[in-house]
Structures are given as C-alpha cells and as structure tokens.
Amino acid sequence: MKKTVLIGASLMMLASPALAEWNPDGPIRLWIGYGAGGGTDVQGRTLAKEIEALRGWQVVPENKAGDDGTVMSAQLKGEEPDGQTLGFAITTTYDFAPMNSDNLSPEDFTYITTTAGSQMAVLARTDSGWTSLDDVKAAAEAGEELVWANWGTQVEAGAELVARALDIDVNHVRQQGGKGTLNALVAEDANLAWGGGVQKPLVEAGVLTILASAENGPVELAPDAPTLQDLGVNLNLGYQYIITAPAGTPDEIRDEIAGVVAEILNNPDSETRQFIEKQYPPAPILTQGEELREQILTGYDANVDIMKTIAE
C-alpha cells in the first residue's frame, strides 16, 4: 500500500534536537543508479538541488548506470558510512537484484527513505490496436512474434510469468531503464514493454496504451484497466524510489537526511514534489528508518518465492 507522511508529523520529527546535530564535512555524492534523462535521474538531480538550497549542503549527483542499479550499489557498499556518499535507485535494486549477485546482500546497506512510487504497467503501441492482454494472446495465436522490452531481471521474469499465464511465447529484449524500454517500443523494436511512470507523456499523447496495471491497484493513467492480479497473474511489480547509504551509517545521519527529504517533499511548492505528482501520482511516498528496512527484507523474501516459481 502506498504511504505518505503527514506534514505535521514530519515537521515534528525535523524539530527534534537529535536530528539537527549532523552536518556533512564536505560535498555529498549522490550516485544515481540509472542513466541520464530518465525518471530516476531527473528526480535525483532535482532533489539534490533542493537539499542544497534548503540546508546549504553541496550535493553532487553522478550517474552510475548498469544492471538495475547494482553497478552503483556494488560501489556504494564499500564507501565509508559517513553520510558523504548516498545511492539513489529503486527498491528492486535491494529487494531483488542481490539474488543475482555474489557481491550484494540486502544487509549491505542502510535504508534512508523512499520518495515516490511507480506506476508499473504493461504497454503497447496504440497503433497495434491492442487494448487488453486478450488482444496480445490473440495476436500470438495468429502467428505474430511478440518481443517484450525489459530493463532488468525482475521485470523480465514478470514478463515471462505473464506469458505463461496467457499460454504464449515472448522474446525478451533488455534495455537501459524505463526510458529505454519505451524507446524500443516506439521504435518498433518491441511490441510490448513495461513502464514504471515515464510513459505518462506518451500515453497522454495517444502513442502508447496501457493494457494492464502491474501494481496492487489501477494506475492513475488508466483507472479502468485491470491489474495483473485481476487477470489471475499473482504478480505485483510496483517499486519505490529509494535513497540508501552503506551499512553501518549512524542512525543520526540516516534520520537527518531522511528528515531533510521529508521537509522538501511535504512542501507543495517543492519542484521535486511537483515532479513526483506529475510523473508518479498521486503524491510522494515517504517510508523511513527501521520500517523501510523491514519493507526491503520482506520484499526480498517475496521475490525469492517468485524466482522459485519461474524455475519450476
């Protein structure tokens, strides 16, 4: 369930003396686990700018794209846990990607805060004429080759589960982030794709059509479209954007950074908040501290079960 933090509660937290004791000794490096121009990058850079304006801390964004955020995370875990180096990626980077890495564990990180949630959906080009997964199944049975654009192992596994539920075959093509999957779809290098939120302009322009939601409920752009669960596919690929630090980061540093982010995202005039409301509606999602850590570990266990199902 998506969760927002009340403004009053966040401001009370920020007023606590314990949360005002830490300040960085120099520039904070914000490592963005995806490439330039996508939703993660735009959100991270806008947030960095607003943190700098609010606190006077120098926050330097840097893209470290690759393998669903694990390239960035593999470097992040070896940094000093002093709050000077942070990661910005999605929860999948920590509750799924470690299953495919000998070098990463969910315990390698301190989980600071989420910022927003996805709008995960199955997409097709509008000119395909498809409006539902039944249309996709009919096309496959008529002999059309299906190519599904994915950006990581988890969503590729999800695409395979959907294909199995429809009793059809799909070919998988791996792209760089959500923007890459949409580019492949528009360029007709694929005829199906996942979108986490960056699809909004193309859906609103009538270029792409949402066939089904991959969240627990409908997505904002297609409130009448069914969820995969409605269609009998027990799958929720929704994720959240998350700020992390190396394991062992002191609680006072974790909480101070989380508090600054909460202050920004609870401000209706915040550029970051406005971007989230537009791109990842309806509002920011702020889960922090131990609650966030438990969310990641629980999600990891659930994803292990998904991969066991794929292997059967």
Side-chain angles (χ1 to χ4, degrees), residues 43-243:
Q43 188 184 162
R45 289 179 180 276
T46 307
L47 185 59
K49 180 178 68 175
E50 292 198 302
I51 291 173
E52 195 164 311
L54 184 65
R55 285 290 189 271
W57 304 344
Q58 185 181 2
V59 183
V60 182
E62 180 181 354
N63 296 95
K64 289 184 176 290
D67 202 13
D68 203 20
T70 59
V71 169
M72 176 274 289
S73 297
Q75 296 180 53
L76 179 66
K77 78 168 192 174
E79 294 296 310
E80 289 296 320
D82 56 7
Q84 302 290 138
T85 308
L86 306 175
F88 189 56
I90 61 177
T91 47
T92 301
T93 306
Y94 305 99
D95 67 17
F96 184 90
M99 285 190 292
N100 303 301
S101 172
D102 295 330
N103 300 318
L104 293 178
S105 161
E107 300 287 358
D108 289 335
F109 305 96
T110 296
Y111 300 104
I112 296 176
T113 185
T114 58
T115 62
S118 61
Q119 290 280 293
M120 276 294 289
V122 183
L123 303 168
R125 290 188 307 278
T126 302
D127 63 15
S128 71
W130 301 343
T131 59
S132 69
L133 290 180
D134 284 340
D135 293 336
V136 174
K137 180 178 175 65
E141 291 175 343
E144 185 165 351
E145 181 182 13
L146 300 182
V147 179
W148 199 315
N150 309 291
W151 61 72
T153 303
Q154 185 191 34
V155 290
E156 186 171 310
E160 185 61 29
L161 284 177
V162 173
R164 290 184 186 184
L166 296 175
D167 195 25
I168 60 175
D169 293 324
V170 299
N171 298 311
H172 303 285
V173 59
R174 187 72 64 91
Q175 300 295 319
Q176 184 72 51
K179 186 177 180 181
T181 65
L182 298 193
N183 288 341
L185 190 55
V186 171
E188 301 187 22
D189 294 326
N191 42 25
L192 291 167
W194 295 110
V198 71
Q199 69 267 20
K200 183 178 181 181
L202 291 172
V203 172
E204 291 180 335
V207 176
L208 300 181
T209 296
I210 292 173
L211 305 183
S213 165
E215 303 275 348
N216 277 330
V219 291
E220 294 284 327
L221 285 174
D224 296 327
T227 67
L228 292 176
Q229 294 170 5
D230 293 334
L231 300 172
V233 185
N234 187 22
L235 187 64
N236 171 20
L237 292 179
Y239 58 84
Q240 294 168 10
Y241 293 88
I242 187 170
I243 298 174

